[in-house]
């Protein structure tokens, strides 16, 4: 799909990684688990060895800002009222 294509374009160097980070901010808010997974993948893929050491704290803060509230709401254990898509997150 479109998000997978964007990831491939970033890996090939045809699209700047900042485009995926900007898209991650939008897509991370979507309730669909597939979109949320893409957003997490994009946001976290630029971490690690890809970033200089000095930028890693900013990257961690970015990822936390995008996903902390959602993760807190989800928790570690599924709730009886959650649908399957939510449980799979």
């Amino acid at each position: 799909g479109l998000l997978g294509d964007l990831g491939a374009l970033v890996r090939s160097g045809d699209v700047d990684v900042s485009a995926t980070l900007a898209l991650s901010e939008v897509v991370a808010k979507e309730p669909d688990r597939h979109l949320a997974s893409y957003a997490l993948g994009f946001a976290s893929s630029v971490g690690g060895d890809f970033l200089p050491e000095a930028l890693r704290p900013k990257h961690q803060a970015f990822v936390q800002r995008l996903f902390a509230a959602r993760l807190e709401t989800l928790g570690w254990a599924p709730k009886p009222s959650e649908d399957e898509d939510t449980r799979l997150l």
Side-chain angles (χ1 to χ4, degrees):
L2 178 62
L3 296 175
D5 292 347
L6 180 60
L9 289 168
V10 169
R11 286 188 297 279
S12 71
D14 293 318
V15 172
D16 189 73
V17 71
S18 64
T20 63
L21 295 177
L23 184 60
S24 293
E25 289 191 83
V26 174
V27 177
K29 299 171 187 161
E30 292 294 323
D32 181 90
R33 74 175 167 91
H34 298 290
L35 293 176
S37 294
Y38 267 110
L40 180 58
F42 284 152
S44 60
S45 68
V46 299
D49 294 333
F50 187 77
L51 282 179
E53 187 72 34
L55 292 178
R56 290 180 189 170
K58 287 185 177 186
H59 175 257
Q60 286 179 326
F62 172 76
V63 173
Q64 284 181 330
R65 182 175 53 82
L66 286 184
F67 298 103
R70 188 174 202 161
L71 293 174
E72 188 173 321
T73 299
L74 288 171
W76 288 105
K79 296 167 183 68
S81 61
E82 288 179 339
D83 61 20
E84 184 176 350
D85 270 355
T86 303
R87 282 189 202 114
L88 290 172
L89 281 171

